[in-house]
């Protein structure tokens, strides 16, 4: 049956930024598809909640709390997962983000920090996980990029540049690691996570964003999680080096920060 191609029975996944939002939804979805999951984030209590939901599916969970901007800690996550579960098949690089900023207040240090948090972390974890994936013969990596890495928007210079770099890193890594390890990304639109709490709590702003989105709604973390399962499963086995756009049809940013002109 075609649905069997979406199963991940016996696989092991590592998901960063998994304490809430897209990361949490992805970890639970991968477990529901049959994978054991190692999850990482800063806050142990959030990880414990997600781990409990993973275990209710009948799958195993490993929690690793820590600062994921520390590249050595991110790399160590791969070894922790392999030690606990004996293998790694899937990596979801979801850690990232950068606060909006004006052009004149975006320092070079701020730009480099955005690149480190959104790109270098993905590289460090993937590089550490690849040897374990090769032991199993095949693997799949999914990076969480953003439509701000594809379309211009005021205030998002550092964030958009970093996410654009992550999207192209995806293509380059896919070329390096094919055919044994597939590397894809998801270009995410506006998703109702904690990052958009201010939007969810303001009906007027929320309505404007929905009206500017062709699907006339904002995304749910499970929309992204479904795409992750597809890309990681045998159903997506012929895809590598691709950036899947799950953004409600956006062709321009739907969030205006109201920054003043120079």
């Amino acid at each position: 049956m075609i649905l069997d191609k979406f199963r991940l029975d016996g696989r092991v996944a590592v998901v960063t930024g998994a304490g809430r939002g897209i990361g949490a939804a992805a970890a639970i979805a991968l477990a529901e598809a049959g994978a054991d999951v190692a999850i990482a984030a800063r806050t142990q209590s959030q990880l414990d909640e997600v781990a409990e939901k993973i275990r209710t599916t009948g799958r195993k969970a490993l929690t690793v709390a820590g600062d994921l901007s520390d590249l050595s800690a991110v790399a160590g996550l791969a070894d922790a997962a392999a030690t606990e579960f004996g293998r790694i098949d899937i990596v979801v690089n979801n850690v990232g983000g950068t606060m909006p900023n004006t052009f004149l207040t975006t320092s070079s240090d701020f730009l480099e920090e955005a690149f480190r948090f959104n790109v270098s972390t993905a590289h460090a974890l993937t590089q550490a996980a690849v040897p374990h994936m090769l032991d199993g013969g095949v693997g799949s990596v999914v990076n969480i990029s953003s439509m701000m890495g594809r379309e211009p928007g005021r205030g998002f210079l550092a964030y958009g540049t970093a996410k654009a770099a992550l999207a192209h890193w995806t293509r380059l890594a896919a070329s390096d690691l094919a055919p044994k390890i597939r590397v894809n990304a998801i270009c995410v639109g506006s998703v109702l996570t904690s990052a958009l709490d201010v939007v969810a709590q303001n009906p007027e702003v929320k309505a404007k964003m929905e009206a500017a989105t062709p699907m006339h709604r904002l995304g749910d973390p499970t929309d992204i999680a479904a795409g992750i399962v597809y890309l990681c499963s045998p159903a997506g086995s012929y895809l590598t080096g691709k950036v899947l756009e799950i953004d409600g049809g956006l062709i321009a940013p739907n969030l205006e920060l109201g920054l003043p002109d120079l």
Side-chain angles (χ1 to χ4, degrees):
M1 292 181 60
I2 190 65
L3 292 180
D4 292 338
K5 293 180 71 67
F6 291 85
R7 295 297 306 172
L8 293 167
D9 299 298
R11 308 288 179 87
V12 171
V14 179
V15 183
T16 59
R20 58 187 178 180
I22 291 171
I28 295 165
L30 291 167
E32 290 175 342
D36 296 325
V37 191
I39 55 176
R42 293 178 185 269
T43 306
Q44 184 66 53
S45 59
Q46 292 179 341
L47 290 174
D48 289 340
E49 291 181 13
V50 176
E52 182 58 30
K53 293 178 180 178
I54 290 171
R55 293 178 183 123
T56 61
T57 70
R59 306 313 308 170
K60 298 176 183 177
L62 170 68
T63 65
V64 180
D67 181 1
L68 296 179
S69 65
D70 181 344
L71 299 187
S72 62
V74 174
L77 175 59
D79 291 334
T83 298
E84 179 73 13
F85 297 125
R87 61 187 294 163
I88 296 176
D89 304 283
I90 295 163
V91 170
V92 179
N93 288 306
N94 174 60
V95 66
T98 302
M99 291 298 293
N101 219 341
T102 67
F103 181 89
L104 290 177
T105 55
T106 298
S107 66
S108 296
D109 287 344
F110 187 88
L111 185 62
E112 289 180 7
E113 182 181 344
F115 185 90
R116 178 185 178 91
F117 194 42
N118 290 274
V119 184
S120 298
T121 53
H123 177 74
L125 177 55
T126 304
Q127 190 175 59
V130 161
H132 300 293
M133 291 180 167
L134 292 175
D135 285 343
V138 295
S140 177
V141 177
V142 178
N143 300 314
I144 302 302
S145 185
S146 169
M147 68 85 58
M148 293 308 307
R150 185 187 79 220
E151 302 293 340
R154 297 187 69 188
F156 295 100
L157 187 148
Y159 178 72
T161 299
K163 288 303 189 184
L166 181 61
H168 198 52
W169 183 94
T170 296
R171 301 180 187 100
L172 295 169
S175 179
D176 285 345
L177 298 174
K180 292 185 177 180
I181 297 175
R182 298 184 297 107
V183 187
N184 294 289
I186 295 179
C187 177
V188 175
S190 297
V191 177
L192 282 172
T193 66
S194 58
L196 284 184
D197 277 346
V198 65
V199 171
Q201 296 169 10
N202 188 321
E204 182 178 352
V205 173
K206 185 171 181 285
K208 287 182 178 179
M209 290 183 69
E210 290 172 336
T213 305
M215 290 302 294
H216 287 183
R217 71 173 178 88
L218 301 183
D220 184 87
T222 57
D223 294 323
I224 312 305
I228 291 170
V229 170
Y230 166 60
L231 291 174
C232 293
S233 71
S237 63
Y238 201 47
L239 280 80
T240 196
K242 302 305 177 185
V243 180
L244 180 62
E245 298 175 2
I246 305 180
D247 58 10
L250 287 174
I251 56 174
N254 60 356
L255 174 61
E256 294 294 334
L257 299 177
L259 296 177
D261 293 335
L262 293 178

